[in-house]
């Protein structure tokens, strides 16, 4: 499932034990699409979002399970939550993780402001849980296997925004009693990954007898 290293499918029991309906925000992204597919293989009460029509990673998923929505627009988010009434929510949307995503304001709006808005909206909905796709970037340059509770040392606007998101989740869980958690994902790789990432580049270069630029 969502976890360290290779993105793989969840097993049947894990999927069936989730409280539904299930909502995967950012189902057209790399991690979101793999998660969405793993759940959709066993259940029909899972819904995924995409900002684009006909997203290539989930183009073969039944249309009735995909919602085209701009989650940063408040009324579109409200309409989505009202329609689906989710019990389990996976938040996989993010901006700034790729080198070509350089819009600072959009990074904070997507990774932090949106999440705070979402947390407040679902705080009275009686959800079972919200799982946030965090990132190992929250540890910054601590690359030697930091402990889970090591202090965050962000070294980019992306990392700062994700640290802020983790703190918002901590506050909502500890002080407000919302069932939610943040997963700091390490170097996930697998099907549907963007070709510019490390593992796809390694594979492509190896087939040419070369090494990628580091």
């Amino acid at each position: 499932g969502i976890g360290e290293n290779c993105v793989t499918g969840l097993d049947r029991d894990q999927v069936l034990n989730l409280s539904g309906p299930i909502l995967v925000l950012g189902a057209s992204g790399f991690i979101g699409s793999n998660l969405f597919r793993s759940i959709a293989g066993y259940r029909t009460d899972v819904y995924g979002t995409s900002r684009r029509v006909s997203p290539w990673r989930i183009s073969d998923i039944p249309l009735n399970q995909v919602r085209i929505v701009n989650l940063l627009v408040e009324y579109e988010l409200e309409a989505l939550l009202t329609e689906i009434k989710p019990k389990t929510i996976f938040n996989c949307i993010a901006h700034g993780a790729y080198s070509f995503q350089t819009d600072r304001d959009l990074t904070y709006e997507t990774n932090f402001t949106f999440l705070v808005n979402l947390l407040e909206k679902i705080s009275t909905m009686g959800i079972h849980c919200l799982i946030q796709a965090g990132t190992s970037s929250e540890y910054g340059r601590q690359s030697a296997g930091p402990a889970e509770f090591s202090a965050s040392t962000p070294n980019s606007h992306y990392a700062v925004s994700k640290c802020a998101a983790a703190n918002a989740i901590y506050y909502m869980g500890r002080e407000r009693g919302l069932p939610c958690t943040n997963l700091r994902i390490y170097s996930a790789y697998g099907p549907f990954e963007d070709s510019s990432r490390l593992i796809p580049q390694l594979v492509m270069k190896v087939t040419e007898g070369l090494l990628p630029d580091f």
Side-chain angles (χ1 to χ4, degrees), residues 6 11 22 40 59 134 141 146:
C6 185
D11 67 36
I22 303 163
S59 59
R141 297 192 184 279

Side-chain angles (χ1 to χ4, degrees), residues 72-92:
L72 303 185
V73 176
E74 186 166 356
Y75 75 84
E76 292 194 34
L77 173 61
E78 289 179 349
L80 176 70
L81 294 174
T82 299
E83 178 202 359
I84 304 299
K85 296 179 175 60
K87 289 297 182 183
T88 301
I89 301 173
F90 293 91
N91 181 31
C92 298

Side-chain angles (χ1 to χ4, degrees), residues 145-186:
E148 181 176 351
F149 294 105
S150 296
S152 57
T153 54
N155 60 340
S156 67
H157 282 299
Y158 170 72
V160 170
S161 69
K162 297 294 276 188
C163 285
N167 285 331
I169 287 174
Y170 180 88
Y171 159 67
M172 291 297 291
R174 181 59 60 91
E175 302 297 332
R176 302 273 295 276
L178 184 71
C180 54
T181 192
N182 180 59
L183 305 181
R184 287 177 174 160
I185 301 170
Y186 272 75

